[in-house]
Amino acid sequence: MKDQHIVISKATIDRLPLYFRTLRNVQEEGLEIISSEELGRRIGITPEQIRKDLSLFGEFGKKGVGYYVRDLIRNIGEILGLHRNWNIAIVGVGHLGWALANYQNFSSLGFNLAATFDVDPGIVGARVNDVPIYHLDEMERVIPEKHIVIGVITVPAEFAQQVANRLIKAGIRGIWNFAPIKLNVPDDVKLVNEDLSIGLSSISYYLSRQLPGDKY
Amino acid sequence: MKDQHIVISKATIDRLPLYFRTLRNVQEEGLEIISSEELGRRIGITPEQIRKDLSLFGEFGKKGVGYYVRDLIRNIGEILGLHRNWNIAIVGVGHLGWALANYQNFSSLGFNLAATFDVDPGIVGARVNDVPIYHLDEMERVIPEKHIVIGVITVPAEFAQQVANRLIKAGIRGIWNFAPIKLNVPDDVKLVNEDLSIGLSSISYYLSRQLPGDKY
DNA sequence: TAGATTGTTAATCGATTAACAATC
DNA sequence: TAGATTGTTAATCGATTAACAATC
């Protein structure tokens, strides 16, 4: 590991999961060694960018050879903390919460859905993807009990801040927020916003310029 | 409008939907005028950034006064093309596709879900959020017929590329891809990847540094 | 008018790209 | 050894922040 005082940019952190996923695909194909050139080709990124990113964390490659796929997967996994099997909870079992609860890619990354919460008496007590749906009021008990440290917020925007407050009080350290609203959280809680309106809106922006006229 | 040769950065485009949404909230509160200072406070961004972004498209404010909320909403909406009511289709009505089909925020942004597609005989012919679920093989007919220009891909990664190819052949101009794989599309098709593994992985990264030890 | 706030230019900061020595 | 490829420094590019004249 390098000097801890170097601050790693968000751009770099966001590329690591891409490297990780692609390397696992490469490994499934049976490749044992890969160059930054080939990895970059598969991801759609320059090899220089990959080498630069990785070099911030250590020397993982072999000059004249490339990167050992298995080793690099392990190294990136440890950088991202994916070897730790985090317990997560989803708050708000509506359409989106339900979908995320059933999303298989998370468990393959080391995230373990330990509980979900809602207020709807019609679903509280049932299970989603074999995980219990608790009432929101059980958060304060269940979260510490199950060592849950990451909370996923998929409730309507108007309830998101109070849910965040309660999650934090219950001991959550990271929040993945899907509600379209700005949340205020203490500095020591990591907040990541997943804003689904950006992707679609930006497509609209580019298409507007490509397809003149107001039809469609 | 400004000189069309100025290229607007992706960072700026991605902030516009945020401005748009926040301004609509502000409007609901009954405010008619807002300063970049106050808007920035609500979004969590500097006022300079907002003024800079907006100035790339025109002069929307009044010096010494601020921005008229209604006018700015209209202007940003037109910049993003949100006044055009785009027809979209979702391909893959699994958990995620189902959730997106039921996501109400899209229609409020001017996106109209006109069709969904799947291959599962158990659901083809049914409806989701009152929209028909067609068989994938009807894509080539339904997409031009319904003037659909944006496709949302929520199929498993191994089918994503062939779905993209068929969407494009059918006339799609923009793709919003949720499958965790790099898609190859022609230059004139706008591709936006929504990578759900990045958000959760980056939380893991930051928590690893904050919570030493391998427990949880 | 005086105070407030925009729009824009200049300065700074940060990230990407290019180049190449080191070395497998 | 010769060829290939990394790790890293330097150069470039781009985005954000600061400052302030213009003006409502």
Side-chain angles (χ1 to χ4, degrees):
Chain A
M1 287 288 163
K2 285 294 181 60
D3 184 352
Q4 295 211 320
H5 299 282
I6 294 180
V7 175
I8 312 292
S9 77
K10 185 185 174 319
T12 294
I13 304 304
D14 284 357
R15 279 189 295 266
L16 293 179
L18 225 64
Y19 301 164
F20 189 77
R21 183 218 283 139
T22 308
L23 285 163
R24 295 220 288 195
N25 291 341
V26 164
Q27 191 177 42
E28 283 216 343
E29 292 176 23
L31 285 181
E32 298 192 345
I33 296 178
I34 194 168
S35 65
S36 57
E37 183 79 33
E38 169 64 9
L39 186 57
R41 203 191 51 69
R42 288 175 181 248
I43 300 177
I45 215 172
T46 67
E48 294 83 0
Q49 181 79 82
I50 294 174
R51 295 205 300 277
K52 179 85 203 205
D53 283 341
L54 295 177
S55 76
L56 297 170
F57 298 98
E59 303 190 7
F60 303 129
K62 229 189 179 69
K63 292 178 185 180
V65 178
Y67 298 89
Y68 287 95
V69 175
R70 204 175 43 128
D71 292 352
L72 193 51
I73 290 173
R74 201 195 55 247
N75 280 313
I76 296 179
E78 283 176 5
I79 292 167
L80 286 174
L82 299 179
H83 59 306
R84 295 177 56 161
N85 269 87
W86 303 98
N87 287 323
I88 70 175
I90 292 175
V91 185
V93 190
H95 295 291
L96 188 56
W98 185 276
L100 293 176
N102 281 288
Y103 200 58
Q104 304 306 322
N105 294 42
F106 297 147
S107 56
S108 93
L109 290 171
F111 297 98
N112 172 46
L113 182 62
T116 71
F117 299 93
D118 206 298
V119 291
D120 179 356
I123 60 170
V124 167
R127 289 179 165 252
V128 50
N129 196 15
D130 214 32
V131 175
I133 305 175
Y134 296 97
H135 191 276
L136 208 73
D137 289 338
E138 300 208 71
M139 254 170 34
E140 284 77 3
R141 177 180 66 80
V142 173
I143 284 174
E145 205 170 283
K146 302 214 170 189
H147 304 291
I148 295 168
V149 285
I150 297 175
V152 184
I153 298 184
T154 48
V155 299
E158 57 265 41
F159 304 119
Q161 182 64 60
Q162 63 187 78
V163 163
N165 296 346
R166 290 181 66 180
L167 281 171
I168 293 164
K169 224 179 261 175
I172 282 288
R173 310 306 304 269
I175 290 181
W176 196 23
N177 175 44
F178 283 80
I181 192 167
K182 190 205 166 209
L183 295 182
N184 293 307
V185 303
D187 283 344
D188 64 340
V189 171
K190 177 65 190 171
L191 171 67
V192 169
N193 292 300
E194 201 71 42
D195 192 328
L196 292 180
S197 71
I198 292 175
L200 211 40
S201 299
S202 70
I203 293 178
S204 170
Y205 171 82
Y206 291 106
L207 290 197
S208 296
R209 270 136 201 87
Q210 214 187 64
L211 308 174
D214 280 353
K215 278 294 165 61
Y216 297 100
Chain B
M1 286 288 162
K2 284 295 180 62
D3 184 353
Q4 295 209 323
H5 298 283
I6 294 180
V7 175
I8 311 292
S9 76
K10 186 184 172 320
T12 293
I13 303 303
D14 284 356
R15 280 188 294 265
L16 293 179
L18 225 65
Y19 301 164
F20 188 75
R21 181 219 284 147
T22 308
L23 285 163
R24 295 220 288 198
N25 291 342
V26 164
Q27 190 177 43
E28 283 215 344
E29 291 177 24
L31 284 181
E32 298 192 343
I33 296 178
I34 195 169
S35 66
S36 58
E37 183 78 35
E38 170 64 9
L39 186 57
R41 204 190 50 70
R42 288 176 181 246
I43 299 177
I45 215 173
T46 66
E48 293 83 1
Q49 183 79 82
I50 295 173
R51 296 205 300 275
K52 179 86 203 206
D53 283 341
L54 295 178
S55 76
L56 297 169
F57 298 98
E59 303 191 5
F60 303 128
K62 230 189 180 69
K63 292 178 184 180
V65 178
Y67 298 89
Y68 287 95
V69 175
R70 205 173 44 129
D71 291 353
L72 193 51
I73 290 173
R74 202 195 54 244
N75 280 312
I76 296 179
E78 283 177 5
I79 291 167
L80 287 173
L82 300 179
H83 60 305
R84 293 178 56 162
N85 269 86
W86 304 98
N87 287 324
I88 71 175
I90 294 175
V91 186
V93 189
H95 295 291
L96 189 55
W98 185 276
L100 293 175
N102 283 287
Y103 199 56
Q104 305 307 323
N105 293 41
F106 298 148
S107 55
S108 93
L109 289 171
F111 297 98
N112 172 47
L113 182 63
T116 72
F117 299 93
D118 206 298
V119 292
D120 180 356
I123 59 170
V124 167
R127 290 178 164 253
V128 49
N129 196 15
D130 213 33
V131 175
I133 305 175
Y134 296 98
H135 192 277
L136 209 72
D137 289 338
E138 299 208 71
M139 252 170 35
E140 285 78 2
R141 175 179 66 79
V142 172
I143 284 174
E145 206 170 282
K146 301 213 172 189
H147 304 292
I148 294 169
V149 286
I150 299 175
V152 184
I153 297 184
T154 49
V155 299
E158 57 267 40
F159 304 119
Q161 182 65 61
Q162 61 188 79
V163 163
N165 296 346
R166 290 181 66 180
L167 280 171
I168 293 164
K169 225 179 260 174
I172 281 288
R173 310 305 305 269
I175 291 181
W176 196 24
N177 175 44
F178 284 80
I181 193 168
K182 191 208 166 208
L183 296 183
N184 293 307
V185 302
D187 283 344
D188 64 340
V189 171
K190 177 65 191 172
L191 171 66
V192 169
N193 292 301
E194 202 72 41
D195 193 328
L196 293 179
S197 71
I198 293 176
L200 211 42
S201 299
S202 70
I203 292 177
S204 170
Y205 171 83
Y206 292 105
L207 291 197
S208 294
R209 270 138 202 85
Q210 212 187 67
L211 308 174
D214 279 352
K215 277 296 165 59
Y216 296 100

